[in-house]
Amino acid sequence: MKNRRRNSRGHEVAKVVAVLFVLAAFPTLLIAHSKWNKKQMTQPHANSAEQDVVLSDYGASPSIEKVMTDAAAPIEIPMQKEQETEPDLTLDVAQSPVQVYESYHLVGLGLDPDTLESDFWQRQLSAGANRQLMLNPFTTDPKYARLCRDYGIVGETEYVELIAVGDNLYHLSITNAGKQEDGSYNYDNIYANIKDYIKDSDIKIINQEVVLTSDQSQWTNFPVFGAPIEGGEAVVNAGFNVVTHATNHSWDKGRNIAMEDIEFWKNQDDLLLTGMYDSQEDYDNIVIGEYKGVKVAFLNYTQNLNGFTLPSDSKYMVKLLDIDLIREDIARAREQADIVIVFPHWGEEYQTTPSWYQKDLAQKMADAGADLIIGTHPHVIQPLEIITSEDGREVPCFYSLGNFVSNMPWNETYVEAMAKVRIKKEGGKVSIECVEAVPMVNFRSPNLDYYTVYMLEDYTTEIARTQRKWEITPTYVENFFDSVFTTRYYEMKQD
């Protein structure tokens, strides 16, 4: 009986040693297997058809048993000559026999696994055996992003980040504050404190409230506005790449200055202008941008023109808020774009609650097929609401983002919002994944010679003490923002 127990214990120890040996040898076998495959891909073979079958098997996520079996097979690596010329590891993705982003094989990417960290190699193998794992932690690894960038590989999931801010409203005091000692004008400081915050977003939208001109005699204040062309240069320098321009002040200076303003924006590289147009053809086109393969349509309308009327020969220069026109534009945009965003310049000034008119119009826009609604004009923030369209879709609506920059004196006008939106592309499906309202603060110095905008997270008590109005503290901004945005973040329901 004792001998049997000793024999039994001996067998158990032998099993443990065998398992440990296999585990210790496993990475070496995998590395050897990869080197063998690299040689196979770069040298001719007597049976090329058999090689194609092997590569196809790898693209179909082989079992770990097959990997172990192949790795244990005899290979020619020890027979390689030391002076052998290094093969060209550059991979022509279009000619690859498998979709390389679906294969676990780093050799298939033209890379030598010996040059990569072992943990990355192991996760690459795991992802190949079960490709669904690539959609989560693996794809966030910087090395994976580098591989995709270097080899032009498009992952199965892409995200497009969008931000939007409110009215870029230059009162005359803001215009004067931009004057430099040499007589020139510069407004980069207004945008300096948010520039880094928005730089990584794909779509950066600002509502240009007033028209711009180089004619200093037309730089005027309320109620008929005109602002320096240098203000537009600062917007471009800050990184904004979409400008919505249909506002109640679009026609304050008439046709000639409106044309000068439009020409400035259209001459900027990689920037889209919507809401104002220089021809009927331009007016009839749907403004669409493409970001990481996602096509986004930008539709912009204003409810009035500050008491002015567009002349009969210039009807195309500003889009007016008309539900029939909006429905027609949305229908055409749906045929051309993956996501349709409507930017209405609407509502009642200084009211933090949207009017019945806004709510009714927002529902009609959603029913017509809008995916997202971002409003401006009231000069104060209004809430985020998730509207259910008649076909059951969830449509986020930011009723008002408030001002971006202004010299309005009321406390509420110092508080503003940035809309943040994440668009998800997974396979052939594009949808809005989540939306968020982020608090911001308009800062102005006591003598009105300096203006800027802060994210609330960067706005300290020390900064607040240098504000023109000391009562605009971080606590005040947070409390007021929360009282309006009872929903600050929302994740869309996925089908």
Side-chain angles (χ1 to χ4, degrees):
M1 180 67 72
K2 291 181 180 178
N3 288 336
R4 287 179 183 174
R5 287 176 181 168
R6 276 195 292 268
N7 290 337
S8 175
R9 283 196 295 269
H11 287 308
E12 290 175 359
V13 170
K15 289 179 182 178
V16 170
V17 170
V19 169
L20 291 175
F21 176 78
V22 171
L23 291 176
F26 184 54
T28 302
L29 293 173
L30 291 178
I31 297 286
H33 175 57
S34 80
K35 289 184 175 179
W36 175 78
N37 265 289
K38 180 168 68 176
K39 179 166 182 170
Q40 294 292 86
M41 291 182 68
T42 56
Q43 294 183 0
H45 293 265
N47 189 344
S48 59
E50 181 180 349
Q51 173 70 0
D52 289 341
V53 172
V54 172
L55 288 172
S56 298
D57 286 344
Y58 291 160
S61 300
S63 66
I64 198 65
E65 290 81 7
K66 174 174 174 55
V67 174
M68 289 294 292
T69 301
D70 288 349
I75 55 178
E76 297 89 359
I77 288 178
M79 304 298 294
Q80 290 180 354
K81 298 179 181 179
E82 291 184 3
Q83 302 302 319
E84 183 178 358
T85 304
E86 263 310 290
D88 181 9
L89 297 180
T90 304
L91 177 69
D92 183 350
V93 175
Q95 300 300 319
S96 175
V98 294
Q99 289 182 310
V100 290
Y101 66 84
E102 289 187 348
S103 170
Y104 72 80
H105 230 290
L106 286 182
V107 174
L109 288 173
L111 297 175
D112 186 344
D114 288 343
T115 67
L116 299 173
E117 294 87 337
S118 60
D119 64 327
F120 177 70
W121 172 238
Q122 295 291 348
R123 283 182 290 125
Q124 176 77 346
L125 288 172
S126 299
N130 183 6
R131 287 195 299 273
Q132 286 75 13
L133 294 179
M134 294 181 71
L135 301 180
N136 292 314
F138 179 69
T139 55
T140 65
D141 191 293
K143 303 180 194 67
Y144 178 81
R146 178 174 61 80
L147 296 182
C148 291
R149 181 179 65 252
D150 292 348
Y151 289 91
I153 300 166
V154 179
E156 293 184 18
T157 304
E158 289 280 2
Y159 293 98
V160 174
E161 304 287 346
L162 175 153
I163 67 95
V165 298
D167 299 338
N168 202 43
L169 174 53
Y170 278 38
H171 287 86
L172 196 55
S173 58
I174 299 175
T175 295
N176 294 336
K179 189 171 184 178
Q180 309 297 298
E181 291 184 0
D182 62 0
S184 64
Y185 288 81
N186 185 286
Y187 300 93
D188 289 339
N189 57 280
I190 295 175
Y191 313 90
N193 292 301
I194 69 156
K195 187 174 181 179
D196 285 345
Y197 189 92
I198 71 172
K199 66 183 176 63
D200 292 329
S201 297
D202 303 289
I203 306 172
K204 291 162 276 197
I205 306 161
I206 191 168
N207 183 62
Q208 182 58 38
E209 180 78 17
V210 302
V211 289
L212 307 177
T213 177
S214 57
D215 183 351
Q216 295 190 20
S217 69
Q218 297 298 317
W219 297 353
T220 54
N221 210 31
F222 177 84
V224 177
F225 287 92
I229 211 84
E230 289 85 352
E233 293 171 355
V235 166
V236 174
N237 293 340
F240 290 97
N241 57 10
V242 177
V243 171
T244 58
H245 212 340
T247 78
N248 55 310
H249 295 293
S250 295
W251 203 249
D252 276 6
K253 295 296 180 177
R255 179 184 175 85
N256 290 342
I257 289 180
M259 289 294 286
E260 179 189 2
D261 174 85
I262 294 169
E263 182 181 8
F264 167 79
W265 292 114
K266 294 187 75 171
N267 283 337
Q268 305 306 313
D269 294 335
D270 303 319
L271 183 143
L272 296 177
L273 173 67
T274 184
M276 291 187 72
Y277 312 92
D278 58 7
S279 68
Q280 185 65 50
E281 180 183 7
D282 196 23
Y283 178 96
D284 292 337
N285 286 333
I286 301 297
V287 177
I288 295 176
E290 185 168 345
Y291 313 88
K292 298 178 181 175
V294 176
K295 293 182 179 180
V296 181
F298 305 98
L299 309 178
N300 180 211
Y301 313 86
T302 179
Q303 67 182 9
N304 65 65
L305 288 173
N306 202 22
F308 296 105
T309 301
L310 291 171
S312 58
D313 64 348
S314 305
K315 295 287 186 184
Y316 55 78
M317 292 193 71
V318 184
K319 278 203 172 179
L320 300 177
L321 200 56
D322 175 85
I323 189 56
D324 291 332
L325 173 62
I326 294 171
R327 284 179 176 138
E328 178 184 334
D329 284 351
I330 289 176
R332 291 192 296 129
R334 287 248 63 91
E335 296 175 353
Q336 304 174 49
D338 302 301
I339 296 291
V340 177
I341 310 176
V342 181
F343 299 87
H345 200 69
W346 61 357
E348 298 179 22
E349 294 183 339
Y350 315 113
Q351 301 300 310
T352 58
T353 301
S355 66
W356 70 266
Y357 170 73
Q358 286 172 275
K359 285 180 167 289
D360 179 68
L361 195 55
Q363 183 66 57
K364 290 175 179 176
M365 291 174 182
D367 292 343
D371 295 301
L372 175 65
I373 302 167
I374 301 177
T376 53
H377 174 64
H379 304 304
V380 293
I381 54 175
Q382 292 183 348
L384 164 64
E385 180 182 348
I386 308 302
I387 299 169
T388 302
S389 66
E390 61 184 8
D391 60 0
R393 294 175 302 108
E394 289 186 319
V395 180
C397 176
F398 295 85
Y399 281 102
S400 174
L401 301 179
N403 293 328
F404 178 75
V405 65
S406 82
N407 193 49
M408 291 179 174
W410 304 283
N411 289 1
E412 295 86 352
T413 63
Y414 281 75
V415 182
E416 55 192 79
M418 174 186 290
K420 290 186 71 175
V421 180
R422 171 178 282 184
I423 300 169
K424 179 180 181 180
K425 180 182 181 183
E426 189 167 22
K429 180 182 177 182
V430 179
S431 61
I432 293 175
E433 184 178 63
C434 58
V435 294
E436 182 179 8
V438 184
M440 306 167 73
V441 188
N442 187 188
F443 176 93
R444 58 205 76 165
S445 62
N447 57 356
L448 301 180
D449 62 352
Y450 181 80
Y451 292 80
T452 192
V453 176
Y454 287 100
M455 307 304 297
L456 177 58
E457 65 185 50
D458 299 324
Y459 184 67
T460 64
T461 301
E462 289 72 23
I463 294 174
R465 287 174 181 158
T466 65
Q467 265 273 30
R468 181 172 173 82
K469 301 188 78 169
W470 288 13
E471 58 265 40
I472 311 301
T473 64
T475 300
Y476 168 80
V477 175
E478 182 70 34
N479 290 341
F480 181 70
F481 196 88
D482 277 345
S483 72
V484 176
F485 283 99
T486 53
T487 298
R488 285 171 62 160
Y489 176 83
Y490 186 82
E491 290 187 6
M492 314 296 288
K493 295 174 183 176
Q494 301 297 316
D495 295 337

